[in-house]
Amino acid sequence: MKRNNSLMNRLLMLLVFLFLYAPIFLLIIFSFNAGNSNMIWKGFSLDWYAKLFHNRLIMESVYTTLLVSLLATVIATIAGTFASIGFYAMRRRIRTPLMTVNNIPMMNADIVTGVSMCLLFVAFFNGWENFSVWFNSLGLFQLPTRLTMGFGTLLIAHITFNIPYVILAIGPKLRQMDKHLVDAAMDLGCTWMQAFRKVILPEIKPGIVSGALTAFTMSIDDFVISYFTAGSGSSTLAMTIYGMTKKRVTPEINAISTLLFVTVLLLLAVINIREARQERAALRRK
Amino acid sequence: MSRELIRLRDVCMAFDDELVLDHLNLYFNDKEFLTLLGPSGCGKTTTLRIIGGFATPTSGDVLFDGVRINDVPPYKRQINTVFQKYALFPHLNVFENIAFGLRMQKRPDPKDPTGKKMVKIPEDEIRERVMEMLEVVSLKGFEHRKPDALSGGQQQRVAIARALVNKPKVLLLDEPLAALDLKLRKDMQIELKRIQQQVGITFIYVTHDQEEALTMSDTIVVMDKGSIQQIGTPEDIYNEPKNAFVADFIGESNIIDGIMLQDKLVQMYGKTFPCLDGGFAPNEPVDVVIRPEDIDIVPVEQGQLIGTVTTVTFKGMQYDIIVDFKGFKWLIQTTDHCPEGSRIGIKIDPDGIHIMKKSQYSGMFGDYSSFSEEYDELDDASLSLDEEESGDEA
Ligand SMILES: Nc1ncnc2c1ncn2[C@@H]1O[C@H](COP(=O)(O)OP(=O)(O)O)[C@@H](O)[C@H]1O
Ligand SMILES: [Mg+2]
């Protein structure tokens, strides 16, 4: 009976994994197909990958994706680091509700975040138009009156949804730190900023790196929020792939999707290995 | 007497309307070993943080050499601190921990005639001073270890060296020995006193351990509930406690209700006892302190008071016996064995009696009805500390 049960379990597990990963495997396999079918295998080739690099649309969106992800990661990491220190310095009574507010965007449906940010930008642009018309009538200097969504709004949106992940990664590192370290550094002649650089930063560096890696992964990975905030001017890789599928799923899409999948997989692997290593180090210290 | 260095004037501190320090007035002399002594939560750490510049008093002044320093940040004060749990920098080795303060320092360039140019301390001088400090705290050879590869006692020494290498005028120490086991604690007490005399600066030491305070201090400040109860030398505080709180907190005391009939004559249990104190109103109610070691046991017929022995505990040097005098239990320390249940007489010399004015603490301390429980607690505490740290010192 028991044996039977575990066999069932294993079978079920196999099915689940098959269900989850079969599409991705198919996608990866057919990205190496010599023919341009998604059903008939015509032999191995790297043609589709080579073709990618000559597709200006794809290359441009790869560039946009990398740029927005990098910039958003750097800015969100800096902002998130100082925000975590602010949270850490707060009293528990205030911190706990604020941390909940911080965590909500991570669980919120992307589409809600995306639509609401889109609405916010549109509302702001309207207000800006009124303001700039009035300002220009003063005749000091001319402000642009028409603003549109594009790389700027895309970047702001990415920074916004990245910050909570950074805060979440750094918080525990701060709480593990001896709370008198900053006092000790200031006692020995540091200003607060020097104490931050010489003492807090080395202590929370692992958290900062984890937070930055997570933020970068989230940015590369994002489609929905980008779709609502990039406007017509810029397009991330995920958006370009989506646009191409409107016609037909070509093996070219398979190839670029495979690259995206592998990138995110690698990033996730790095994050997980780092976490496991830190946990082991913390255990050893105890 | 030496020069005054730091003064707290009418210092109050409140957290969320809770008054933690209540009009503290206190001064610290140069090169003195001063201890703030009091139960946990009485405001010792807060006082130290105000002196170090980590907290700003709600009202009142902090003066250093006569100058008001309320708003001077910690890094501009000639004061260094040894924190309660050491607060060593985990990512730096022992050498770099100790050198930390020196690397932060800038001083006028000796080669610059205007004296305005500021330069860092040269590397060879840093090296020399750190090595010298390692010698003072007996940690030569440990300079490349990380803090988490050191025992508690060694970390303690690094923390002291890290503070002292900056040649501060004042060193603040917040219960620096609390985490060490009993034997190491005793050694470090002597060591700290030696270091203080060697470097010749003011130590302001915080502890809740009365024995530690008596052993090490030039001056003791006894605190309770944010107020100073008494300031004095260890002898003063032990022999002439100001009120029942001090008498009970420092050493063992029997505190009995009495009436001061006239100068040098006090009445307890309806009997009169000659004593040495005076200056009270006729028939003023007072608290009478009698230390357990100042009581002589005599045959019943010669006794000033007669009581029944209820408990006997062998303590090695002496017996601690609890004697019931008309329902009030006294602790007496004696080298003679008196069996439980026996009736004994006692005699107290006039210099063994100390009279205190009545205070808010009257009637709260000095009865040994719950004596055995009190001792059990003490034994438990020292036992668990021993287990925690034993074998730690390499
Ligand atoms: N930052 C703070 N916020 C609120 N209350 C505090 C703070 N620091 C200390 N207290 C309170 O002040 C009182 C005195 O604390 P402390 O100075 O640490 O006492 P001690 O060092 O003598 O044990 C305690 O009741 C403590 O709860
Ligand atoms: Mg304290």
Side-chain angles (χ1 to χ4, degrees), chain B residues 116-247:
Chain B
K116 278 195 186 133
K117 204 170 147 220
M118 303 293 269
V119 289
K120 293 197 158 185
I121 299 177
E123 198 58 32
D124 46 350
E125 186 187 328
I126 290 181
R127 179 147 205 94
E128 197 179 304
R129 281 171 69 178
V130 172
M131 287 320 210
E132 197 183 307
M133 245 15 264
L134 280 169
E135 189 132 19
V136 171
V137 298
S138 334
L139 272 183
K140 267 218 135 99
F142 286 86
E143 51 267 34
H144 297 300
R145 292 243 201 138
K146 284 280 178 69
D148 60 5
L150 297 177
S151 72
Q154 291 165 338
Q155 290 183 22
Q156 180 62 72
R157 288 163 205 260
V158 177
I160 292 165
R162 182 179 70 173
L164 284 179
V165 77
N166 304 291
K167 302 195 171 135
K169 287 215 171 126
V170 180
L171 186 69
L172 310 178
L173 303 103
D174 192 353
E175 313 222 11
L177 309 183
L180 306 181
D181 69 80
L182 191 64
K183 185 172 176 310
L184 196 53
R185 198 155 70 218
K186 299 259 178 230
D187 293 345
M188 279 302 287
Q189 286 173 9
I190 297 163
E191 181 91 354
L192 270 175
K193 188 77 193 162
R194 176 187 66 75
I195 291 172
Q196 190 252 342
Q197 279 156 356
Q198 187 179 340
V199 293
I201 62 167
T202 310
F203 274 36
I204 303 178
Y205 191 93
V206 161
T207 182
H208 64 263
D209 180 342
Q210 47 99 11
E211 198 197 324
E212 199 165 286
L214 291 174
T215 315
M216 302 167 78
S217 321
D218 298 322
T219 306
I220 296 177
V221 178
V222 185
M223 293 176 66
D224 185 46
K225 300 198 191 100
S227 314
I228 294 173
Q229 302 299 326
Q230 188 168 1
I231 305 178
T233 63
E235 290 83 357
D236 284 347
I237 302 241
Y238 188 84
N239 294 328
E240 273 151 42
K242 272 227 180 87
N243 60 34
F245 174 82
V246 179

Side-chain angles (χ1 to χ4, degrees), chain A residues 91 178 180-181 183-192 194 198-199 202-203 285, chain B residues 16 49 54 74-75 79-81 83 87-91 100-101 104 148 162 166:
Chain A
R91 285 201 237 129
D178 180 343
H180 289 301
L181 284 188
D183 282 351
M186 287 178 77
D187 189 68
L188 295 167
C190 288
T191 60
W192 190 89
Q194 285 169 322
K198 286 174 185 283
V199 178
E203 283 297 291
R285 202 174 279 197
Chain B
D16 310 318
R49 289 176 65 82
F54 302 107
Y75 54 88
I79 298 173
N80 284 113
T81 309
F83 291 88
L88 298 179
F89 305 127
H91 62 290
F100 193 95
M104 294 308 304
D148 60 5
R162 182 179 70 173
N166 304 291

Side-chain angles (χ1 to χ4, degrees), chain B residues 15-16 18 20 39-47 175:
Chain B
F15 294 110
D16 310 318
E18 187 206 339
V20 168
S40 164
C42 73
K44 305 180 298 288
T45 299
T46 306
T47 310
E175 313 222 11

Side-chain angles (χ1 to χ4, degrees), chain B residues 292-305:
Chain B
E293 69 272 20
D294 291 337
I295 301 168
D296 295 325
I297 294 180
V298 294
V300 172
E301 52 288 1
Q302 293 167 27
Q304 288 170 300
L305 288 172

Side-chain angles (χ1 to χ4, degrees), chain A residues 82-99:
Chain A
F82 284 101
S84 334
I85 291 172
F87 275 131
Y88 170 70
M90 278 173 195
R91 285 201 237 129
R92 186 178 297 270
R93 250 207 342 256
I94 309 171
R95 181 174 62 206
T96 315
L98 277 178
M99 277 309 280

